[in-house]
Amino acid sequence: MRYLLLIYTAESMEPPTGEAAAAQIDAYDAFTREIRARGAYQAGEALHPTSSATTVRVRDGETLATDGPYAETKEALGGFYLIDARDLDEAIELAAKIPSAVHGAIEVRPIFEFGVDMSAQPENVAAGVEPATTESATPAMF
């Protein structure tokens, strides 16, 4: 099962420098090496600050682009990891090892896998939905 680990932290006006920056890089490098060694790593990236964001909306057929993030918040999405985990428990275990978890928050979101048995989706497994007897296709909502 694939999960997206969304890393939220308070944005500072100045990025860390010197020893603090080196320690942060080392901690993330160690975490990334661990999840690669476990075979869980699929992707991961750090993001530029929200001040570099552009929010796009389409209203009445017109594309509107606005400088800045979608919403003003105390914590901002700073990066992510896409992992393949055995289950939610393993995803939570890995999320807790992300260095920013000690001063921010890690949101664990299951990936909706199109073209698979819908009863195998995490929300259906948790609800005790019985596996389907036929192959499922893309959900009708799309």
Side-chain angles (χ1 to χ4, degrees):
M1 163 97 1
R2 294 185 313 147
Y3 293 88
L4 192 59
L5 308 180
L6 300 161
I7 304 165
Y8 290 93
T9 59
E11 278 192 309
S12 63
M13 299 307 285
E14 298 295 323
T17 59
E19 289 180 21
Q24 186 175 26
I25 290 168
D26 289 347
Y28 270 95
D29 284 348
F31 173 74
T32 303
R33 281 193 307 275
E34 177 184 345
I35 63 173
R36 282 181 186 272
R38 288 175 66 162
Y41 179 88
Q42 292 199 336
E45 297 293 342
L47 301 175
H48 283 274
T50 58
S51 61
S52 67
T54 302
T55 300
V56 177
R57 294 176 177 85
V58 177
R59 300 294 184 266
D60 298 321
E62 183 180 347
T63 301
L64 307 169
T66 307
D67 290 341
Y70 170 71
E72 295 289 327
T73 63
K74 291 184 180 194
E75 292 181 330
L77 179 62
F80 69 89
Y81 282 96
L82 176 61
I83 62 166
D84 188 14
R86 177 180 59 257
D87 53 25
L88 180 59
D89 290 337
E90 183 180 27
I92 291 170
E93 172 208 336
L94 293 174
K97 293 181 177 187
I98 293 175
S100 292
V102 298
H103 56 81
I106 312 302
E107 181 179 348
V108 178
R109 298 273 301 270
I111 299 295
F112 195 96
E113 302 287 359
F114 291 102
V116 300
D117 178 359
M118 296 301 291
S119 63
Q121 296 297 328
E123 63 276 10
N124 292 331
V125 170
V129 174
E130 290 296 318
T133 56
T134 61
E135 292 245 352
S136 299
T138 304
M141 65 183 149
F142 297 101

